[in-house]
Amino acid sequence: MGQIEWAMWANEQALASGLILITGGIVATAGQFTSWWFGAYSIVAGVFICLLEYPRGKRRKGSTMERCGQKYLTKVVKVLGPLSRNYYIRAVLHLGLSVPAGFLLATILGTACLAIASSIYLLAAFHGEQWTPIEPKPKERPQPQG
C-alpha cells in the first residue's frame, strides 16, 4: 500500500481553518464582542493563511490538480523560499497564529482547526515532505512529417 502524503491533508485543513478564522473574526468584529480586536486579528491572520495555503504543492507520485488561479500565488510563495517550503516552519507558524484567536469564542473553532493543521504539517515534516510548486509542463511542438 502507498504512503500517505500528509502535506495534502494539512494544506486542505489549513485553508479551511483560514476561512473559518475569517468568518469567526467577521462575526466577532461586526457583533462588537467585548474583545473584538481578537476578531480583527483573526480576519488578518485568516487572510494570510489563505494566501499562503491556496497554492497546492506538487505530489511525489501521480498528478496534482492545480487550483484555479494558483499560478499567481505560487510565484509569491516561491519568493518566500525556505520560509514557505519547510513544513516545520509552517507548523510553528500556524500554531503561533492560532494562539491569539483562541481567546474569543467566535474564533475558537478556527483556532482548533489551525492547531490540527499545524500537527498534520509537523507529521508531514517528520516524514520528509516539503512544498514544491506545480510547474507548468512545456508544450511539445508537433513534429513535421517527412
Side-chain angles (χ1 to χ4, degrees), residues 22-105:
I22 292 170
T23 305
I26 290 170
V27 167
T29 306
Q32 297 178 344
F33 284 27
T34 55
S35 301
W36 64 270
W37 54 87
F38 286 122
Y41 165 81
S42 296
I43 294 170
V44 173
V47 168
F48 173 73
I49 291 165
C50 288
L51 291 175
L52 179 66
E53 295 296 333
Y54 189 73
R56 280 190 181 131
K58 186 177 180 183
R59 296 179 65 187
R60 289 184 193 171
K61 294 181 180 178
S63 62
T64 308
M65 188 78 166
E66 190 175 15
R67 287 190 175 113
C68 194
Q70 171 179 331
K71 59 185 171 188
Y72 306 110
L73 284 175
T74 299
K75 293 175 186 175
V76 175
V77 174
K78 278 173 60 174
V79 168
L80 295 174
L83 293 176
S84 63
R85 207 176 312 129
N86 190 335
Y87 287 146
Y88 285 114
I89 293 173
R90 279 199 190 190
V92 171
L93 176 71
H94 288 331
L95 192 61
L97 286 173
S98 72
V99 171
F103 293 110
L104 192 59
L105 185 61

